[in-house]
Amino acid sequence: MAVQKQHYATSSLVIGYALCSSLLAVINKFAITKFNYPGLLTALQYLTSALGVWVLGKLGFLNHDPFVWDTAKKFLPAAVVFYLAIFTNTNLLRHANVDTFIVFRSLTPILVAVADTLFRKQPVPSKVTFLSLVVILGGAVGYVATDSGFTLTAYSWAFAYLITITTEMVYIKHMVTNLGLNTWGFVYYNNLLSLMMAPLFWVVTGEYSDVFASIGSNRGNLFESVAFTAVALSCVFGLLISFFGFACRKAISATAFTVTGVVNKFLTVAINVLIWDKHASPFGLFCLLVTIAGGILYQQSVTGVSTASSQRDPAASKLMDNKDDVDEYSEEDQEKGISGKISGV
């Protein structure tokens, strides 16, 4: 009976993570379409995540590091990069379809591999890893070349997102290792500090004037029912993917977690094609699948290296497990968009 209960619990976590992960990018696209205020949308997501972690911590459902100003000052540069990654991500979804987002998100291993080699003195990628990066690049080039929805604005945000998310992923690995924050502490600091920065970006981008103008024209009713639902779903799913992502990673093996993530990407593409016409052409979708396939090959090549080194050195195994926690968190939770809200794929 105990084994059966454990099986159901694990299955529920995997299903919950798969649903949140595969739906989040589409939900975020829906939210920014119906609620065209990217700065305010991300601020609401930060508020939901920070408040959610704090409340759940008070109730004893999770443990997170307390907010300390000295730690916050050290973490601030990482939070700034995180905010920029979320901001460019939201504006990319605002001006482009979900398929374009997935393609550029899939390009991050190329830049991360270069940055790790140049700045973090990591080994040069293996031949299989290099091949996977070439496949990713080839699929992305094919997609861009045939993208009928190409606009300078959309692709400007796409390249800005690519640069900021790569910087964030590489820098966060360094920052988390040095500060020693636990996973939920990382989520808490990231979102709370980003929430504090939000008003500055409202002023810099001039979005505050659009919000006040909308309040005036709608007699104070900023949210329509559809927009309110979209924003609420985006905020809630951003927090849920944090919970299900961490819980699922603890409940199943690293390989199973990786496979689940791959399936989620295909589910995102399928859902996006089925629910509306905001998607790529058939050839564009084929190139997108090639890019995802390259990502699968890349994950397998990296997993193989980690497994081999852990078998050679049991002491290194524990260190690699800790590193994998950071890597998996950085990748999965940055996509979501608020430690999850970026996309979930």
Side-chain angles (χ1 to χ4, degrees):
M1 182 63 70
V3 175
Q4 189 176 23
K5 287 183 178 180
Q6 180 65 31
H7 173 74
Y8 285 135
T10 302
S11 299
S12 299
L13 290 174
V14 172
I15 292 172
Y17 172 68
L19 287 176
C20 291
S21 180
S22 58
L23 287 172
L24 188 54
V26 179
I27 289 174
N28 280 344
K29 173 64 177 178
F30 180 56
I32 196 62
T33 300
K34 297 299 181 181
F35 186 72
N36 197 22
Y37 307 102
L40 181 55
L41 175 61
T42 53
L44 292 170
Q45 293 174 331
Y46 297 136
L47 176 62
T48 302
S49 287
L51 185 60
V53 171
W54 182 81
V55 171
L56 291 174
K58 288 294 183 182
L59 295 176
F61 289 104
L62 56 85
N63 294 314
H64 66 82
D65 297 285
F67 188 84
V68 180
W69 277 112
D70 287 340
T71 304
K73 291 176 184 177
K74 296 176 183 178
F75 194 83
L76 184 60
V80 171
V81 178
F82 175 77
Y83 188 100
L84 292 173
I86 301 296
F87 183 76
T88 54
N89 163 259
T90 305
N91 278 281
L92 170 56
L93 286 173
R94 183 185 185 188
H95 295 286
N97 57 37
V98 174
D99 300 327
T100 302
F101 164 75
I102 296 176
V103 165
F104 276 86
R105 180 62 185 82
S106 298
L107 282 172
T108 54
I110 298 177
L111 296 186
V112 169
V114 173
D116 275 345
T117 302
L118 293 179
F119 303 113
R120 299 183 69 236
K121 307 304 179 183
Q122 297 296 311
V124 176
S126 66
K127 292 180 180 179
V128 177
T129 300
F130 182 78
L131 175 62
S132 69
L133 297 178
V134 171
V135 173
I136 291 173
L137 181 61
V141 170
Y143 178 89
V144 173
T146 60
D147 185 10
S148 60
F150 179 93
T151 65
L152 183 59
T153 300
Y155 274 77
S156 296
W157 282 114
F159 281 106
Y161 167 70
L162 183 60
I163 293 172
T164 54
I165 191 61
T166 302
T167 303
E168 202 258 359
M169 291 178 70
V170 174
Y171 187 57
I172 285 299
K173 293 178 186 179
H174 166 75
M175 184 61 72
V176 171
T177 302
N178 287 350
L179 290 181
L181 294 172
N182 65 25
T183 301
W184 286 109
F186 173 70
V187 175
Y188 188 54
Y189 272 82
N190 241 355
N191 287 280
L192 188 56
L193 288 174
S194 295
L195 180 61
M196 294 177 182
M197 288 185 283
L200 174 62
F201 278 80
W202 294 344
V203 174
V204 171
T205 61
E207 186 177 312
Y208 73 96
S209 60
D210 295 333
V211 173
F212 287 140
S214 178
I215 293 175
S217 62
N218 292 332
R219 299 178 182 179
N221 181 23
L222 185 61
F223 288 117
E224 298 178 353
S225 58
V226 176
F228 179 85
T229 302
V231 171
L233 284 173
S234 178
C235 292
V236 171
F237 268 69
L239 179 59
L240 286 178
I241 197 174
S242 294
F243 169 76
F244 280 112
F246 299 136
C248 183
R249 193 173 61 210
K250 290 180 180 179
I252 62 179
S253 68
T255 302
F257 187 83
T258 300
V259 172
T260 303
V262 170
V263 173
N264 293 343
K265 292 183 179 182
F266 287 105
L267 286 175
T268 300
V269 174
I271 292 169
N272 188 56
V273 170
L274 291 174
I275 66 172
W276 55 18
D277 58 357
K278 300 178 185 295
H279 54 77
S281 64
F283 184 76
L285 289 175
F286 170 76
C287 292
L288 171 58
L289 295 179
V290 170
T291 302
I292 294 176
I296 298 172
L297 183 61
Y298 171 80
Q299 289 176 322
Q300 292 301 314
S301 67
V302 173
T303 302
V305 171
S306 300
T307 302
S309 60
S310 65
Q311 288 175 344
R312 288 194 301 268
D313 187 353
S317 176
K318 184 175 181 180
L319 179 63
M320 185 60 70
D321 287 341
N322 293 333
K323 178 181 180 297
D324 287 344
D325 284 344
V326 174
D327 291 349
E328 286 174 355
Y329 172 69
S330 299
E331 182 170 344
E332 296 301 329
D333 286 337
Q334 275 134 13
E335 288 184 288
K336 50 175 173 171
I338 41 179
S339 25
K341 57 183 169 290
I342 297 181
S343 83
V345 292

